[in-house]
Amino acid sequence: MTASHGRQPSGSSDLTSIPSDHIKLIEKLLSIGTALSMAQDLEELLAFILTKSREITYSDAGSVFLVQQQEGESRYLLFKVAQNDSLPHVRLREFAIPLTRHSLAGYVALTGRTLNIPDAQNILPGLPYQLDRNFDQDFEYQTCSVLVLPMQDNTGETIGVLQLINRKIRPDVRITPENAVTVTQPYSEWEERVIRSLASQAAISIERKMLHENIENLFEGFVRSAVQVIEARDPTTSGHSERVADLTVQLAQQVGDVIKGPLQLIYFTPPQIQEIRYAALLHDFGKVGVPEAILNKRKKLYPEQLMVIQQRFAVAQRTLERDCAEAKYAYLVNHASHIHQEGENCPHCQYLKGLDAQLERAIATLHRYQSLILEINEPEAIAPKQFEALSEEAWGELTALAEYRYQDVNGELQPLLTPQEIEQLMLPMGNLTQIEWQAIQAHVTYSYEFLKQIPWTKPLQGIPLIAYGHHEKLDGSGYPRGLKGDEIPIQTQMMAIADIYDALTAADRPYKRPLPLDVALRILREEADKGKINGDLVAVFMHKQVYKILGHGLNENDQVA
């Protein structure tokens, strides 16, 4: 008979033996457990726990405290959530209270014991805890029955306190100081057991959520530190990573609002937006592997190169002055017997003046060469307009400069400019040679190799690939992999637009002037027309004025095609 009963499936005969209100409670607890596991936000989770606890017990009010501790300081209770059906308009802000046995919540947090108090107004005076009557006095409320339970993790440590106030005889009753005693009742032992079980589930969910937030804070701190490293390594682009992140996130959010066209099906969830933000913040981290001299290069020539060139000019000028002095001396020695003639017709004086004039012309030529070097040492941001504007005379001087030789201190002929220096000065756009540009381009691969070593959580696992393609072009002309079209993630395509825009408009680049907004937008449009970047994204960027996130705005006279 026992064996038969043990094999009997759970059917209607078993369920009918359970009171219907208990079945409803079981169903509610199961749904609460499911909801607890799905809650994303800590504030939302705590409010849900309190709401459901009050629903089960007909509690008029309640609150949730979390045990907190700052590094190097003692623990305290943080008042996080409060609810009160009889005072629905009262909003209490978050605050901290000392963690002592004198308060109900403090006693429960320190001892791990549950307090089930039938009448909080008449707690025996010998007990270590007493009711804080400030709330009742401030809001004309009366606290009667109270149930205070610890929320403990799987190790038994109390991480929070759940406090329920005024168990009502009916859920729709509104409590006043006049009726509080008659419409409230003590919490039963059965309710205490149910809420204790719920508090245990809640503690696990809270701990998991707090752990998740700690991981998020850890990642946030790491990303912030990484950005500081990038900017310390390359001060000339300080703020670039933050601006690109702001622009990319804003563009992603605006794309999510598009209701027609090729972008209408694209939408990013909050975790995906966070993934985009981190990828944008870290897209240039690989610059830590690029030589510092190249990162901080401001002109076509390095400062030490220019200094050496100026020293050569100084030696060349002193050589000219010495040669002139020696020529005068030799002439005077060779013509010592000749008689000096008064007036301007003296041939000797005329010869010496000719030497001085020749020296002045030679020095003036050196000065022109120096000015020309300083002029063409400035990099051009958009196109080689400076070189296009050079006159034939200037090109002639540049050619003569390349061929100029001076006598060094050893008496050997040396060029004023080396072939390497000439190559740098002849750059029509920018300030980097091909070799230097390849070193800069390598930062993309460095970033990817670094980011893929990080054990990102599942929602953030796309960060390395998103960052990897921010210099790729839709037509395959980008680097480092030459990806085309849909091979480039849409998140990366948005970041590329933000990166180009900031490079054009940034005011902190010492090697170029920032471009006006209308010019920068026109360049984006031209790049889209050439098939380099996504034209639909550029249209959203312009029409939704994504750039305003940086405080940029068009003037009334500015026009963008």
Side-chain angles (χ1 to χ4, degrees):
M1 191 70 174
T2 304
S4 174
H5 179 73
R7 290 196 302 268
Q8 182 179 356
S10 57
S12 60
S13 60
D14 290 334
L15 290 175
T16 54
S17 64
I18 303 175
S20 61
D21 58 339
H22 284 201
I23 293 177
K24 291 180 180 178
L25 176 60
I26 292 171
E27 291 174 345
K28 179 173 288 189
L29 289 175
L30 289 173
S31 66
I32 290 173
T34 302
L36 286 176
S37 66
M38 297 175 63
Q40 298 295 321
D41 180 72
L42 180 60
E43 301 290 337
E44 174 188 339
L45 174 62
L46 297 178
F48 178 80
I49 292 168
L50 183 56
T51 298
K52 294 305 178 182
S53 300
R54 290 175 51 242
E55 284 181 3
I56 292 172
T57 58
Y58 290 178
S59 295
D60 185 60
S63 54
V64 177
F65 299 82
L66 293 182
V67 179
Q68 302 282 292
Q69 183 173 17
Q70 299 291 342
E71 185 176 354
E73 299 180 5
S74 58
R75 294 190 302 165
Y76 61 92
L77 282 176
L78 188 62
F79 179 87
K80 292 291 292 184
V81 179
Q83 297 172 357
N84 192 308
D85 285 345
S86 297
L87 299 171
H89 302 299
V90 174
R91 295 288 182 268
L92 298 178
R93 67 180 185 274
E94 185 177 293
F95 62 90
I97 63 172
L99 183 54
T100 70
R101 291 172 177 252
H102 301 314
S103 66
L104 303 183
Y107 179 85
V108 170
L110 288 171
T111 64
R113 300 172 184 169
T114 297
L115 291 180
N116 190 339
I117 304 172
D119 185 3
Q121 301 293 328
N122 295 297
I123 298 176
L124 295 176
L127 295 174
Y129 51 83
Q130 291 294 322
L131 175 68
D132 184 349
R133 303 176 186 274
N134 288 329
F135 181 86
D136 288 3
Q137 293 170 359
D138 292 342
F139 296 99
E140 297 183 354
Y141 190 73
Q142 181 164 332
T143 301
C144 297
S145 55
V146 179
L147 180 61
V148 192
L149 308 98
M151 294 189 290
Q152 298 173 322
D153 61 18
N154 56 2
T155 66
E157 181 181 354
T158 300
I159 63 172
V161 174
L162 174 62
Q163 181 173 268
L164 300 177
I165 298 172
N166 285 342
R167 180 194 173 206
K168 297 184 286 189
I169 58 175
R170 296 191 317 275
D172 58 343
V173 174
R174 182 179 181 276
I175 294 178
T176 65
E178 292 74 25
N179 70 0
V181 175
T182 58
V183 300
T184 61
Q185 56 186 330
Y187 289 91
S188 68
E189 184 179 343
W190 176 80
E191 287 174 317
E192 182 181 325
R193 290 200 306 270
V194 171
I195 299 303
R196 188 184 300 121
S197 175
L198 178 58
S200 297
Q201 292 185 64
I204 294 172
S205 297
I206 292 171
E207 184 182 30
R208 184 174 63 247
K209 183 58 187 173
M210 292 175 68
L211 178 61
H212 181 72
E213 287 191 353
N214 288 339
I215 293 173
E216 287 185 339
N217 291 335
L218 178 64
F219 275 130
E220 183 72 23
F222 160 74
V223 170
R224 291 290 179 187
S225 298
V227 171
Q228 289 183 0
V229 170
I230 299 168
E231 295 188 349
R233 180 74 170 165
D234 185 11
T236 61
T237 59
S238 177
H240 170 69
S241 297
E242 293 277 2
R243 293 192 297 269
V244 170
D246 290 342
L247 288 166
T248 308
V249 167
Q250 182 72 3
L251 180 55
Q253 291 170 338
Q254 293 295 337
V255 166
D257 294 335
V258 174
I259 59 175
K260 61 181 180 179
L263 303 177
Q264 62 179 325
L265 298 179
I266 298 176
Y267 174 78
F268 299 101
T269 64
Q272 289 173 323
I273 291 291
Q274 184 71 309
E275 182 183 51
I276 291 170
R277 176 173 169 268
Y278 282 166
L281 284 170
L282 295 170
H283 75 284
D284 274 345
F285 188 80
K287 286 184 176 180
V288 298
V290 178
E292 192 169 355
I294 297 177
L295 282 178
N296 295 326
K297 189 179 183 185
R298 302 185 177 191
K299 311 288 186 182
K300 295 180 182 180
L301 296 172
Y302 292 101
E304 55 270 23
Q305 286 181 299
L306 191 59
M307 185 179 300
V308 170
I309 291 171
Q310 290 170 341
Q311 290 172 351
R312 291 186 203 136
F313 272 90
V315 172
Q317 181 170 333
R318 285 196 295 271
T319 300
L320 291 173
E321 292 169 344
R322 182 202 63 191
D323 291 346
C324 180
E326 288 179 351
K328 287 181 178 180
Y329 179 77
Y331 179 82
L332 291 175
V333 169
N334 293 331
H335 298 81
S337 60
H338 292 190
I339 299 173
H340 170 67
Q341 300 178 12
E342 295 294 337
E344 297 181 357
N345 295 324
C346 176
H348 310 299
C349 295
Q350 291 294 331
Y351 182 81
L352 295 177
K353 287 181 180 180
L355 292 176
D356 287 335
Q358 184 180 351
L359 174 62
E360 288 180 6
R361 288 193 297 272
I363 291 176
T365 299
L366 287 179
H367 289 170
R368 287 200 311 274
Y369 289 165
Q370 282 183 296
S371 298
L372 181 61
I373 289 173
L374 294 177
E375 180 183 358
I376 63 177
N377 191 36
E378 296 292 332
E380 282 294 309
I382 308 176
K385 295 180 180 177
Q386 188 175 12
F387 280 77
E388 293 172 0
L390 282 176
S391 64
E392 291 185 9
E393 180 182 355
W395 277 110
E397 285 206 343
L398 191 58
T399 303
L401 170 58
E403 297 174 351
Y404 191 98
R405 297 293 183 270
Y406 73 100
Q407 197 175 58
D408 64 12
V409 293
N410 297 319
E412 298 179 357
L413 291 178
Q414 301 290 348
L416 280 174
L417 293 177
T418 67
Q420 173 63 33
E421 291 161 350
I422 293 172
E423 178 188 351
Q424 291 173 235
L425 288 170
M426 292 298 291
L427 291 171
M429 182 170 65
N431 65 331
L432 300 177
T433 65
Q434 186 63 30
I435 294 176
E436 292 167 340
W437 181 234
Q438 289 173 354
I440 287 288
Q441 287 180 325
H443 83 274
V444 180
T445 302
Y446 296 156
S447 293
Y448 174 71
E449 294 297 333
F450 167 77
L451 293 175
K452 75 175 184 179
Q453 300 299 321
I454 299 171
W456 299 103
T457 57
K458 188 174 181 180
L460 303 177
Q461 287 178 352
I463 287 175
L465 279 176
I466 294 173
Y468 197 12
H470 72 276
H471 281 298
E472 302 287 355
K473 305 294 184 184
L474 295 180
D475 63 357
S477 62
Y479 65 88
R481 293 177 292 167
L483 300 181
K484 293 183 178 181
D486 292 339
E487 294 176 339
I488 307 171
I490 190 68
Q491 300 96 318
T492 306
Q493 295 181 38
M494 292 187 294
M495 191 195 306
I497 293 171
D499 193 41
I500 294 171
Y501 175 83
D502 187 66
L504 294 172
T505 60
D508 53 12
R509 306 292 174 96
Y511 50 81
K512 73 169 189 65
R513 295 182 299 275
L515 298 179
L517 176 58
D518 60 317
V519 176
L521 295 179
R522 186 164 63 248
I523 291 172
L524 285 179
R525 185 71 266 169
E526 290 171 356
E527 289 292 288
D529 292 340
K530 294 175 184 176
K532 302 286 186 182
I533 56 179
N534 190 312
D536 296 311
L537 292 177
V538 170
V540 174
F541 187 92
M542 296 173 61
H543 297 153
K544 296 295 183 178
Q545 300 180 333
V546 170
Y547 46 81
K548 283 190 173 181
I549 194 72
L550 302 183
H552 298 174
L554 288 169
N555 296 322
E556 292 183 2
N557 296 328
D558 293 335
Q559 294 183 353
V560 181

